[in-house]
Amino acid sequence: MTKKLTDTTTTTTKATLKNHVAPKARRIGNVLKSKFGVNLADFDAALGGDVASAQKIGELARQGRLSAELAPKLAQAYIEIINGSEA
């Protein structure tokens, strides 16, 4: 007995994303808004295909990478300035 491989009675449903962050970390939304200017709705919108929200989050990521790259160099430069002024 063989089964037909194609089924013409299938229907498509829209996938929904469950917010696992809000119930677990209540303060994260406030911290994101106050420190970085984004909120959890921006992340939801980016996941939903909103280009402007994705670009805003991408720009924050770029700035974070740049800060992480330059911070050690700046720290070393300040140490040299402080050591030079003490001599």
Side-chain angles (χ1 to χ4, degrees):
M1 187 162 151
T2 60
K3 222 177 192 182
K4 193 173 184 181
L5 293 178
T6 58
D7 185 11
T8 58
T9 61
T10 59
T11 58
T12 59
T13 58
K14 185 177 179 183
T16 57
L17 297 173
K18 182 177 179 183
N19 186 347
H20 292 280
V21 177
K24 303 292 183 202
R26 296 185 186 274
R27 291 184 50 205
I28 194 166
N30 295 334
V31 171
L32 284 172
K33 187 67 175 170
S34 65
K35 293 195 183 273
F36 304 109
V38 295
N39 55 25
L40 294 176
D42 291 329
F43 288 98
D44 290 338
L47 289 172
D50 182 21
V51 175
S53 295
Q55 286 176 336
K56 185 193 314 186
I57 294 167
E59 177 61 22
L60 289 171
R62 186 192 69 78
Q63 291 175 0
R65 283 190 299 272
L66 186 62
S67 297
E69 179 184 328
L70 295 178
K73 295 175 185 175
L74 289 172
Q76 183 61 36
Y78 282 120
I79 289 171
E80 291 173 8
I81 291 168
I82 291 169
N83 289 340
S85 65
E86 291 177 352

